[in-house]
Amino acid sequence: TDLVIATVERYFSSYRAAYSLYLGRPDGASFGPSHRLQWSYYYTDRSFVGVAASSGKEAENIFPGGVLTTQVRGLSLAGRHEFAPGWAATYEWLVQRQGDLYTRRGFGLGLRHAF
């Protein structure tokens, strides 16, 4: 599998905007492009909340059937909240649609410690 990722981002005031282009290719297939847009708000130096939307094509080599290409779309909300020096709570909610195959939904909570 080959994967090429290019990202352009811009920070201004307390915000971050980013665009990423992903070009993925399994063995025996052509590159499939995907796109991701992100917007984040930093309410302190180490705390933020952000949203991301993605869309594109994913090609996967499924043995023995061959290469399957599907349309992928996703949306996520993520953040990090520092509650003590070096300690933060992290969270993420996401939904991802993989063609007509399935829809993945998830929610994660985490604890982060910076050394």
Side-chain angles (χ1 to χ4, degrees):
T1 301
D2 295 319
L3 178 63
V4 176
I5 304 169
T7 299
V8 176
E9 62 185 332
R10 171 93 167 122
Y11 289 85
F12 49 98
S13 185
S14 297
Y15 301 94
R16 175 186 176 262
Y19 166 76
S20 297
L21 171 65
Y22 298 81
L23 295 173
R25 178 180 68 108
D27 287 340
S30 60
F31 280 97
S34 294
H35 311 274
R36 185 170 194 219
L37 288 173
Q38 295 174 274
W39 180 266
S40 301
Y41 169 65
Y42 285 81
Y43 53 94
T44 71
D45 286 345
R46 294 184 181 95
S47 299
F48 73 93
V49 61
V51 295
S54 58
S55 179
K57 295 191 181 288
E58 183 174 301
E60 192 167 344
N61 197 350
I62 300 175
F63 182 80
V67 176
L68 175 64
T69 302
T70 56
Q71 181 70 30
V72 179
R73 290 193 176 97
L75 183 64
S76 68
L77 169 70
R80 179 175 65 221
H81 178 75
E82 185 178 61
F83 56 85
W87 290 94
T90 61
Y91 56 90
E92 181 179 27
W93 168 85
L94 65 91
V95 61
Q96 178 180 328
R97 178 84 175 143
Q98 181 82 30
D100 293 330
L101 301 176
Y102 61 86
T103 299
R104 176 184 297 137
R105 293 176 181 85
F107 182 77
L109 290 173
L111 180 63
R112 180 178 185 266
H113 179 63
F115 295 96

